[in-house]
Amino acid sequence: DPPILNIQSGVTLKFPKDKYLQVGTSDVNMSGALRAKGVTFTVTDTAGASYWAGIDFYEGDVADSTVLDSNIIEYAATGVEIHNNDMPYIYNNTIRYCRDYGIYGGNTAWAYAVGNTLLENRTAISVTAPQIDSTLYSNTYTDNTNNYIEVRSGTNHRLSTAAKVYDWLKDGAPYVLNDHLYVYKDAADGNDPPILNIQSGVTLKFPKDRRLQIGDENSAGAVHAKRVTFTLGGNDGTWSGIELND
């Protein structure tokens, strides 16, 4: 069993500039967990335009034992950064005034964020496309410089797991892609395609000359979308549209 840092409601933790709270390590065998509800995480000197590093979850964190609920996380470089394949629960927090990101999910990291208020951060949330699956909803986005969900996509972040349904739910902001969004399985990986299922009311924004591609010449993919807005993510040029392949 891992050590658990359990912080009582009403506690305030102040961190020096560039220092962080790290839960777990890059070694999955060196685990840890964090339980915090009603806690304030902030920088020591809020008047000095300095930032602490934030809360970092690594491979050794225990997702089922790790909960951030109804906290204030402020003045961090990144409020919550997830480096692992686990899914710490991030519920009902106010994440504000962060220099870079409110919540950042690494390239294979799941960010399960529900009911949070993202306020006046540079970018509210950043995750990779395959790590979105009923994981982001009921969040509020207010006055962030990039007031959206940044979705890192492209070839390296293809929706590719055969027979998997990726549910992209309506949240308080659009999903803004940084590249093409590809949905197709590996050629030798089963018969059932991956499915991108987009909830009614969602908006997806694509960069100039980028597209949503379903399937390719060798592999199947599928999309289910009803009352979804697909549009350009900027004011310059056009996006390439939706490409459906056999």
Side-chain angles (χ1 to χ4, degrees):
D1 294 333
I4 299 172
L5 174 58
N6 183 51
I7 310 175
Q8 188 178 41
S9 178
V11 168
T12 295
L13 273 66
K14 294 187 175 184
F15 291 81
K17 179 181 178 181
D18 299 330
K19 304 305 180 183
Y20 50 79
L21 169 56
Q22 178 179 323
V23 181
T25 71
S26 56
D27 184 346
V28 70
N29 296 311
M30 299 176 67
S31 60
L34 171 65
R35 295 174 184 166
K37 184 173 184 178
V39 175
T40 297
F41 299 88
T42 189
V43 73
T44 303
D45 179 13
T46 58
S50 61
Y51 298 88
W52 66 295
I55 302 173
D56 282 10
F57 293 107
Y58 278 85
E59 291 287 351
D61 97 85
V62 179
D64 290 343
S65 300
T66 295
V67 179
L68 292 174
D69 186 354
S70 305
N71 304 292
I72 295 172
I73 303 168
E74 63 180 12
Y75 297 109
T78 296
V80 180
E81 184 165 356
I82 306 151
H83 301 266
N84 59 15
N85 294 317
D86 293 325
M87 192 186 298
Y89 299 111
I90 307 168
Y91 294 149
N92 305 317
N93 302 282
T94 296
I95 304 174
R96 63 190 185 187
Y97 317 142
C98 293
R99 185 190 67 201
D100 299 327
Y101 298 95
I103 299 171
Y104 185 90
N107 285 344
T108 60
W110 295 86
Y112 191 76
V114 179
N116 301 284
T117 296
L118 289 304
L119 172 66
E120 295 186 29
N121 308 289
R122 184 173 68 86
T123 298
I125 295 178
S126 179
V127 290
T128 58
Q131 272 61 51
I132 303 171
D133 184 14
S134 300
T135 47
L136 303 173
Y137 58 93
S138 299
N139 298 296
T140 300
Y141 300 74
T142 303
D143 294 334
N144 301 282
T145 304
N146 300 317
N147 203 49
Y148 51 71
I149 302 161
E150 177 184 83
V151 180
R152 306 190 310 275
S153 51
T155 304
N156 292 332
H157 302 300
R158 173 167 55 95
L159 308 190
S160 62
T161 302
K164 180 175 177 60
V165 178
Y166 297 86
D167 287 310
W168 288 26
L169 305 182
K170 183 180 179 181
D171 203 1
Y175 295 88
V176 177
L177 288 298
N178 74 343
D179 203 340
H180 302 292
L181 178 57
Y182 297 110
V183 185
Y184 59 89
K185 68 180 183 68
D186 294 329
D189 190 13
N191 295 319
D192 295 326
I195 299 171
L196 172 59
N197 184 49
I198 310 173
Q199 189 177 47
S200 176
V202 167
T203 295
L204 270 65
K205 294 187 175 184
F206 289 80
K208 179 183 177 181
D209 298 330
R210 296 297 184 263
R211 67 184 181 274
L212 169 58
Q213 179 179 325
I214 308 300
D216 74 352
E217 59 185 16
N218 297 311
S219 299
V223 61
H224 296 168
K226 184 175 182 179
R227 299 189 179 95
V228 173
T229 298
F230 300 90
T231 189
L232 179 69
N235 298 318
D236 180 31
T238 57
W239 68 294
S240 295
I242 302 172
E243 179 180 313
L244 303 176
N245 294 286
D246 293 335

